[in-house]
Amino acid sequence: MTKKFGRALAALGASLALALTSCSGTANKPAAETTGASESAAAQAESSPIRMGAMFAPTDTFDPNVATTPGSMLLLFYLYDSLAYVTEDGAQLSLAKSIEPNADATEWTITLRDNLAFFDGTAVTGQDVIDSLKHLSESQNFAAMYGVVDYGASTATENTATLKLKAPKSDFLESSLGMMSPIAPKGKFDGVGAGTYKVTEGDSSTGYTMAANEKYWSGKPAIPTVTLVPVADSEAQAKALQSGEIDYAWGLDMASMRTLSANKDIVIPEPSLESATVKELVLNTRVAPFNDPEVRQAAKLTLDRDKMVKTLIGEEAGEVGNDMSGKGYVTYPEDLAQTTADKDKAREIFARKGVTSFNIIASDIVPGQTAAAELMVQEFAEVGVTVTVETLDAQTFFAQMEKVYQAPAFTFYWINRLPISNLQSQVSAESPYNVSGYSSPEISAALQTAMTSTDAKIQEENVQKVLKDQHDNGGDLIWGYQKQLSASRAGLNGVVTTQSVPLLANATFTPAK
């Protein structure tokens, strides 16, 4: 397993990506309408600079192909923006004015917004779109998203790119462009983009200071300056918000939220399954003992998921998982029987199979993963299995995937989005992001049909087949969902999230003096 593979997982997970509420494949609705000149000027006069906590790694750069942390993803979205975003309201266009497929979804035409320009004043062109997506496709970070494009057959005009695909892909907007489609001049990602903010100083060690882009397509953002402050984890972010070191904290855990809720000067938005963190124990089907489907079943029957959610996440911010991601979105099978703990049956299977111990690698790449593994130790002890937990540093976890892949089990996470988007990573035999290693000919056939059909009913039927197989036989023990948790000083309004990333194009910040 290579470091590039780890970066790919980080790029998908750390922002790691949402889903559309529609499968139409066409979007023409802008992410942010331009405000009136007087309203915009008034907002800019009133808004204050904002400081945001974020975790960076020393290897982070301005290139998406080497992004490894939530902080780097935040930085990249601000610098380069995206052709489209996925939010709880569906597909929202940003740099693109329209994105439309042909009849069989083998060709997608992207029309850019009028007078779209990079920070340096040069026009954004259709060729920049093709060059940028080609750059992404050359890295394992984004190969699954953009490797399907035939770049030699794709064409561009001044403000249009027509992407020819190697095979039909009806979810190209949902699973690729809407997840992350940054654009840079000639596909060279050196910090010059057409996004909301441009870097004025800083690096991954000290953090970044960013100034609002006067050339942004919907108008200069009202918040004049954004400072990304390096903060190591959820607890540190909460403390920094309490002390006034930062103004906005995101990716928090429930313990931090309880602490912050006592402060009347801090605002906590309503938690949502949109962009929720999907908590998983990966049962590695490549190695013993979880290469045995019965042993995987025993593990799934061991965990008291209600207890884990209540203990580790909290009832207000948590939802019980059922070994599938996508809860709350269309095509998620709410009627599929919930897996519940049956420790007697689990104990019998483990004993019959001779499984008495295994180890879990845990890392707080999102808050609470190590605590979850430690609670699992107790759960498995109740069925006669001794579990040993080895912890890895969150900042280097993805660089150690070769080691992780030798473990029988490890903690992991996904970003909650439309099932078809995650399934291509989770269970496709060809996917470099299939962390459990589980797939089957039946899954491959059904997933391929779902991905290539433009008939919504056929797509849904086949997604349901894949989800049921994943639920019954797969190696993804998805035990819970942690709804998106963030907090800020009072006075912040208009934040929109995509893939857990807070976007500030329409935000204002007027803290109390």
Side-chain angles (χ1 to χ4, degrees), residues 359-428:
N359 70 295
I360 295 173
I361 287 180
S363 179
D364 284 334
I365 49 176
V366 291
Q369 296 290 72
T370 301
E374 290 169 349
L375 184 54
M376 290 175 193
V377 171
Q378 301 173 30
E379 293 283 289
F380 280 101
E382 294 180 23
V383 297
V385 176
T386 300
V387 171
T388 303
V389 176
E390 178 184 359
T391 58
L392 296 183
D393 181 78
Q395 291 187 318
T396 60
F397 175 82
F398 290 108
Q400 300 184 65
M401 291 306 294
E402 183 173 359
K403 175 179 181 177
V404 172
Y405 262 60
Q406 296 173 21
F410 52 94
T411 60
F412 201 70
Y413 81 106
W414 301 90
I415 298 300
N416 196 34
R417 58 183 184 266
L418 196 71
I420 192 171
S421 298
N422 271 347
L423 286 173
Q424 293 172 64
S425 296
Q426 293 171 337
V427 297
S428 171

Side-chain angles (χ1 to χ4, degrees), residues 94-371:
S94 191
L95 297 181
K97 182 165 63 175
S98 67
I99 300 175
E100 299 181 352
N102 64 355
D104 63 359
T106 58
E107 182 177 296
W108 290 74
T109 300
I110 300 165
T111 303
L112 297 169
R113 293 193 178 277
D114 298 335
N115 303 313
L116 192 63
F118 292 115
F119 299 150
D120 61 6
T122 59
V124 183
T125 68
Q127 191 60 50
D128 291 323
V129 172
I130 293 175
D131 291 342
S132 295
L133 300 186
K134 184 175 187 295
H135 173 78
L136 297 181
S137 74
E138 293 167 350
S139 165
Q140 283 189 318
N141 293 25
F142 299 99
M145 294 161 59
Y146 294 114
V148 69
V149 179
D150 183 342
Y151 293 97
S154 297
T155 58
T157 63
E158 185 174 337
N159 71 331
T160 300
T162 300
L163 303 178
K164 291 277 191 178
L165 306 191
K166 299 172 185 176
K169 189 167 174 57
S170 59
D171 65 320
F172 187 59
L173 176 58
E174 297 94 325
S175 301
S176 299
L177 298 174
M179 287 175 61
M180 190 179 190
S181 48
I183 306 302
K186 299 180 180 179
K188 298 184 184 301
F189 291 88
D190 57 7
V192 176
T196 47
Y197 290 89
K198 53 187 176 181
V199 170
T200 56
E201 62 178 331
D203 55 38
S204 60
S205 298
T206 62
Y208 296 89
T209 300
M210 310 185 76
N213 176 18
E214 296 181 354
K215 299 180 179 66
Y216 190 60
W217 69 264
S218 66
K220 181 180 178 180
I223 296 175
T225 305
V226 175
T227 302
L228 304 183
V229 180
V231 184
D233 52 34
S234 178
E235 182 180 1
Q237 277 210 56
K239 289 180 178 177
L241 183 57
Q242 283 271 45
S243 67
E245 181 184 350
I246 62 175
D247 306 302
Y248 184 91
W250 55 302
L252 298 173
D253 59 21
M254 200 59 213
S256 298
M257 297 298 278
R258 292 192 184 102
T259 299
L260 293 172
S261 64
N263 189 326
K264 63 181 177 59
D265 296 321
I266 291 174
V267 176
I268 300 174
E270 185 72 23
S272 169
L273 273 173
E274 183 268 340
S275 192
T277 301
V278 183
K279 301 275 193 164
E280 171 174 359
L281 177 68
V282 176
L283 307 175
N284 191 350
T285 65
R286 303 173 183 85
V287 300
F290 297 117
N291 55 354
D292 185 326
E294 281 195 87
V295 179
R296 296 199 294 273
Q297 180 191 26
K300 293 178 181 181
L301 293 173
T302 296
L303 297 188
D304 184 335
R305 299 164 194 237
D306 286 306
K307 174 184 174 182
M308 292 192 66
V309 168
K310 289 177 182 177
T311 303
L312 298 166
I313 304 175
E315 293 182 84
E316 320 92 272
E319 291 268 354
V320 171
N322 197 24
D323 304 326
M324 305 169 289
S325 64
K327 191 169 188 175
Y329 289 98
V330 294
T331 71
Y332 181 86
E334 296 284 358
D335 57 345
L336 197 59
Q338 173 66 50
T339 301
T340 57
D342 185 341
K343 286 186 164 56
D344 289 338
K345 186 172 182 179
R347 186 180 300 107
E348 183 275 323
I349 294 173
F350 280 132
R352 175 161 47 84
K353 294 290 184 174
V355 177
T356 59
S357 65
F358 67 90
N359 70 295
I360 295 173
I361 287 180
S363 179
D364 284 334
I365 49 176
V366 291
Q369 296 290 72
T370 301

